[in-house]
Amino acid sequence: MLVYRYYQSGDEKEIVTLWNECLPKDPITSIRFRNLVLLDANFDPMGVKLAFQQDKLVGCVYVVRRILPMYGIDLENDNGWIPFFFIHPSFRNRGIAKKLLSQAIEFLAGEGRKNVFFASYAPNYILPGIDEDTYPEAYQFLQSQGFHRLYSPVAMDRNLVGYEVPLAVKELKSIRESEGYTFEKAEDKDLYDVIQFANLIFNPDWGRAIREGILQGLPIQRILVARQNEKLIGFCLYGGYEGVADRFGPFGVDPDQQGKGIGKIMLHECLRNMRSDGLHGAWFLWTSEKSAAGMLYKKTGFQVTRTFHVMKKSI
């Protein structure tokens, strides 16, 4: 007999075990689950919907809505997110996923939410969206439940073995420096400007990643800042997410500076710093393949390694 309930203290051990049994290509540790889920400021036990066969956990759907704003006072009151879901292989196609998803959406509806997304939740998303190639059944399931694709970000990787900054980039950097641009590793004096710049020009999640990364031990020299006559115009860093040193980003350049090669210079500077730290690769989870950033990454030797679909359903 199946029993449905929400998370209770101690369930995390079974959730992690079932996760790794269901999603072997995206495994998780108890520490990562604790940091990304249990310690998330928006975590609510009511949002973790579980299915048990007797005492055995066989299914999980996690849904979350904002309790704490990402920035300012914006709680995104219309929106909720499903960061992950999984069903034991032996219990699929029995309506369990549909039942858990229905309960999750009822929870959001009860909180006044009008939209639910898979899986573009910040700050603690596991993956940007559903990987159709890796999880075709899950993608089909979401579609069958009324989710539609919004866009498809990609993950990219670059091997850094043998990397060196191209001569053309070195020459471009010299030209920009003669025009009053600087490219330097961050110091304490830069932090406020960088965080505000990330929050206001780009995404509050980026400002949060910088601030929390440093609080959790991110070496400040892994942040590169660009200025024009002392005005901050760009930044990039590595090791800011979960302390994973070879994870690149976030990375942003003032839109008013486009066409000057500032992003190209910063990206290569950062890759050189990563190689200087002994890293053998650089990777990130989320960009638009056809965007200016996506094209820059490709020209710099990054290759698409995964494609995700961000999905949405109206409640």
Side-chain angles (χ1 to χ4, degrees):
M1 178 180 176
L2 288 168
V3 175
Y4 295 89
R5 63 171 174 80
Y6 60 85
Y7 168 87
Q8 297 176 3
S9 298
D11 286 336
E12 62 280 350
K13 293 181 180 179
E14 287 192 78
I15 294 174
V16 170
T17 298
L18 182 61
W19 178 314
N20 290 329
E21 190 168 356
C22 296
L23 311 176
K25 293 184 179 180
D26 290 290
I28 197 167
T29 65
S30 296
I31 293 174
R32 286 190 72 216
F33 184 83
R34 178 189 67 198
N35 293 345
L36 295 175
V37 180
L38 299 180
L39 293 180
D40 185 350
N42 297 311
F43 174 72
D44 185 335
M46 293 285 292
V48 185
K49 304 303 184 181
L50 304 174
F52 290 84
Q53 174 67 37
Q54 296 181 345
D55 293 329
K56 178 182 176 64
L57 180 66
V58 297
C60 174
V61 172
Y62 175 47
V63 68
V64 62
R65 86 289 192 201
R66 293 210 186 284
I67 300 172
L68 183 71
M70 178 70 72
Y71 183 75
I73 60 173
D74 185 10
L75 288 173
E76 297 183 68
N77 288 320
D78 286 344
N79 300 331
W81 296 265
I82 297 175
F84 56 81
F85 68 94
F86 42 85
I87 306 296
H88 190 285
S90 299
F91 287 83
R92 291 172 186 169
N93 301 313
R94 299 189 187 184
I96 297 174
K98 184 176 181 179
K99 175 72 171 180
L100 289 172
L101 180 63
S102 176
Q103 292 180 346
I105 291 176
E106 286 176 7
F107 169 74
L108 287 179
E111 296 293 326
R113 268 46 182 182
K114 299 177 181 178
N115 309 299
V116 57
F117 297 86
F118 185 93
S120 55
Y121 169 65
N124 293 332
Y125 65 90
I126 310 299
L127 296 174
I130 191 72
D131 180 343
E132 180 183 0
D133 291 336
T134 304
Y135 307 111
E137 293 180 353
Y139 179 55
Q140 293 169 8
F141 169 73
L142 288 173
Q143 289 179 308
S144 72
Q145 299 305 303
F147 285 80
H148 66 275
R149 183 179 68 87
L150 291 179
Y151 52 92
S152 298
V154 297
M156 290 187 176
D157 289 63
R158 192 202 194 283
N159 190 324
L160 293 180
V161 176
Y163 170 82
E164 62 177 318
V165 179
L167 178 59
V169 176
K170 293 180 181 179
E171 293 174 344
L172 178 61
K173 180 185 177 186
S174 294
I175 293 172
R176 293 294 172 257
E177 287 177 332
S178 71
E179 297 170 345
Y181 291 88
T182 61
F183 307 90
E184 299 176 339
K185 293 180 179 179
E187 301 178 14
D188 286 347
K189 66 182 179 62
D190 298 304
L191 293 181
Y192 177 79
D193 285 350
V194 170
I195 292 172
Q196 289 298 106
F197 181 82
N199 284 338
L200 299 176
I201 303 298
F202 294 99
N203 188 319
D205 182 44
W206 290 9
R208 176 209 60 83
I210 297 168
R211 182 179 61 253
E212 293 186 4
I214 293 173
L215 288 171
Q216 294 168 9
L218 169 67
I220 194 171
Q221 64 268 23
R222 289 183 177 174
I223 303 173
L224 182 69
V225 295
R227 293 182 181 273
Q228 180 187 29
N229 299 321
E230 300 302 319
K231 178 185 177 182
L232 185 75
I233 60 163
F235 71 96
C236 65
L237 64 143
Y238 60 99
Y241 292 106
E242 298 186 65
V244 179
D246 57 358
R247 184 169 177 179
F248 176 80
F251 168 36
V253 177
D254 191 327
D256 291 339
Q257 296 287 335
Q258 289 182 358
K260 300 178 182 179
I262 304 301
K264 179 190 297 185
I265 295 169
M266 297 195 71
L267 177 55
H268 279 282
E269 286 283 301
C270 199
L271 293 180
R272 184 195 63 183
N273 292 343
M274 296 178 76
R275 187 68 188 121
S276 298
D277 267 352
L279 301 180
H280 279 221
W283 64 276
F284 56 84
L285 276 178
W286 196 332
T287 194
S288 171
E289 185 176 3
K290 304 299 183 182
S291 67
M295 298 304 293
L296 173 60
Y297 288 126
K298 284 187 171 181
K299 291 178 181 178
T300 310
F302 281 84
Q303 296 181 331
V304 173
T305 47
R306 299 182 78 171
T307 299
F308 307 96
H309 302 314
V310 174
M311 310 287 284
K312 177 183 178 182
K313 174 184 173 69
S314 296
I315 299 175

